[in-house]
Amino acid sequence: MGEQGPLGTAAGVSPADPFVGRADGLELIAAAIAGASTGRGSVVLISGEAGIGKTRLAAEAVGSSDTDRLVLWVSCSDGDGAPPFWPWTEALGPLVGSASLPPEVLA
């Protein structure tokens, strides 16, 4: 995993740095966020080689949305040491048992 700064910022990347060439990815993520506003949930998986801008793409997409929806953010290692379903455990673990979630979400 790469070093991370505040949510959505990779170390060494300034929000002022130009963000170019990812319009298709931004549109796809924006559509998923907009769909959540109408009750249509989804999962967006951003994958690729180290250093190609996955974290920046996610940060730009979430930062440019005008929603107050909960966004779960998970990073995965390329190594073989993680147990099965580790990203799901990392993303959903903190939410399970949260008093702020309705019972039907926890079922």
Side-chain angles (χ1 to χ4, degrees):
M1 284 194 288
E3 183 182 342
Q4 299 236 336
L7 178 64
T9 61
V13 176
S14 167
D17 290 340
F19 183 72
V20 296
R22 302 300 284 271
D24 291 346
L26 284 173
E27 286 179 27
L28 182 115
I29 297 168
I33 292 171
S37 297
T38 63
R40 196 178 69 233
S42 62
V43 172
V44 175
L45 171 67
I46 302 171
S47 65
E49 298 296 320
I52 66 168
K54 298 176 298 293
T55 300
R56 180 71 187 271
L57 172 61
E60 292 289 334
V62 171
S64 66
S65 72
D66 60 350
T67 183
D68 60 354
R69 300 287 177 192
L70 173 66
V71 175
L72 301 177
W73 192 288
V74 181
S75 296
C76 300
S77 171
D78 283 338
D80 294 331
F85 304 107
W86 184 247
W88 295 107
T89 303
E90 287 292 294
L92 301 176
L95 295 177
V96 174
S98 171
S100 64
L101 291 175
E104 62 271 11
V105 172
L106 298 175

